[in-house]
Amino acid sequence: MVAPGSTTAPPRGRREERPRRPGASAPRLTTAQGTALALSATAPWYSIMVTAPLIAALVGSGTAAVYLLAAIPAALVAAGMSANDRRDPHKGSVYAWVRHRLPRTGWLAGFCLASTGVIATSGMAHVAADLLIPSAPAALKACLAAALTGVAALIDLYELRLMAALQYLAIIAGVGATIVCAGLVAGGGVRLAPMAGSPLDWFHAVLLAVFAYWGFDAIFALTEVTSAGAPQRVTALTVVGLIGFFAVGGTAYSAVDPTPVTGHLVVRIAVVSSAIMSLGSTLVPTARGIEAMADAGQIPSWAGLLRRTSWATAVVTTASVAWAGLLLISEGLFTDTVDALSVLVGLYFTASSLIAALRARSQRERWAQVAAVALMVVITTAVAIQMLDPAYGATAVGGVGGVGLIVVGLSALGVAGALRYGGPESGARGGAR
């Protein structure tokens, strides 16, 4: 076991012994349970509802092809993460993997992981409340969103296997929606729009689709409570499952009139359950990543209680609920913070693939991860440039897009934190002051 505050990495190929989670039972998560958690973390049918119409507006019935193209960088990143986890299994996932080689970059990756988790949980809770009670007052929606987040946090903390079991409901609904969509397309229930779009339109469409795959990495934060080899199997199954959902759902949503799809009861249930069930599976890696940073002593000394899972989970839950307070100031500002997450996800995906390339055990693995780094740099840079456009998102300041400014602000905060707390000396002295 690595003592809290130590910078010593665990021996390769061995799992660290960690204190059991409060209320956790002896049995570990199975591959099926892990796959349910990882799939739900992506909120696949909610992602389809949001991204597929935008992609279809650019490329028509080429939507499924776009999701398949977007799966290439996602699959490469997933392969790199699986390799990193196999060599260095750790609840801190990308933070721990990167930190052992590049300490300050690792802290920045951990910050990106934590920020995306907090903001995404807040956003999905708001979406879930809005889908459940669309005509209710904003205050009631906020209360319901907070309640959903709190319940998810309690289940995560005290009975993770129950959370995994609940995720099966969302997966069943998603499979049902896939069958419905396939039937509508094959049976002529919808007429597909013609394939369209310039090369630039296709490029923009791929940018929209890539980050729909985000969330598969949730399983790596649970590596020490899963059966041996499960994270790697879960990752492969999750990516394959997402490709199936996105290809079929994306095709159906690219209909000239998608009303038979969007109005179908089974599809609507899949969208709502997708949003709700993503809460618990998004909280998990966020809390455990922060806990790992606290274990390493790379947080202020006064925040040492975050070494405990219960405190880390409580802080993430509170921060997620508090973030929704932006809705009281400006709904546009809130949605722009959610839109900004793509760049932060791109940054920690890139960092993970970089470490996988540096630690690769074969030329084939190294070049695959070099390709992943190159693709993610291009994608993340292109998305960041788009976000600076004042027409992007709901806010703008001085002719610059508000989403882009949020990205710059969050990135600057992360870099400042990395400089202050991310050095190897921080962990050695048990926490910065």
Side-chain angles (χ1 to χ4, degrees), residues 35 111 114 154 170 173 184 306 318 332 376 420:
T35 302
F111 172 83
L154 287 172
L184 287 171
L306 294 178
T318 303
M376 289 311 306
R420 177 67 180 87

Side-chain angles (χ1 to χ4, degrees), residues 73-85:
L76 289 173
V77 171
M81 286 187 167
S82 290
N84 286 334
D85 179 78

Side-chain angles (χ1 to χ4, degrees), residues 302-376:
W302 51 262
L305 283 174
L306 294 178
R307 291 188 179 95
R308 297 174 58 183
T309 301
S310 56
W311 277 96
T313 303
V315 166
V316 170
T317 303
T318 303
S320 298
V321 172
W323 196 269
L326 284 176
L327 287 165
L328 303 177
I329 302 172
S330 167
E331 184 172 352
L333 179 61
F334 177 80
T335 56
D336 279 358
T337 63
V338 176
D339 287 343
L341 298 185
S342 296
V343 171
L344 300 186
V345 173
L347 289 175
Y348 83 75
F349 273 15
T350 303
S352 176
S353 290
L354 174 61
I355 293 304
L358 292 174
R359 300 183 65 184
R361 295 177 179 174
S362 69
Q363 284 295 104
R364 179 179 179 181
E365 181 184 351
R366 178 170 293 106
W367 282 112
Q369 291 309 303
V370 167
V373 170
L375 286 171
M376 289 311 306

Side-chain angles (χ1 to χ4, degrees), residues 1-3 6-18 84-93 95-101 223-224 292 295-296 359 361:
M1 177 169 66
V2 178
S6 169
T7 56
T8 303
R12 288 189 180 186
R14 293 177 57 191
R15 295 181 181 270
E16 291 181 88
E17 294 296 327
R18 293 283 176 182
N84 286 334
D85 179 78
R86 190 164 46 244
R87 287 187 284 262
D88 187 9
H90 198 288
K91 66 185 174 186
S93 63
Y95 158 71
W97 305 331
V98 181
R99 169 182 166 259
H100 292 154
R101 192 72 175 256
T223 188
E224 82 277 17
D295 283 345
R359 300 183 65 184
R361 295 177 179 174

Side-chain angles (χ1 to χ4, degrees), residues 15-50:
R15 295 181 181 270
E16 291 181 88
E17 294 296 327
R18 293 283 176 182
R20 283 170 60 184
R21 296 162 60 88
S25 302
R28 293 173 174 266
L29 291 176
T30 65
T31 297
Q33 291 170 329
T35 302
L37 279 167
L39 267 174
S40 294
T42 66
W45 278 90
Y46 172 73
S47 296
I48 291 170
M49 183 192 77
V50 172

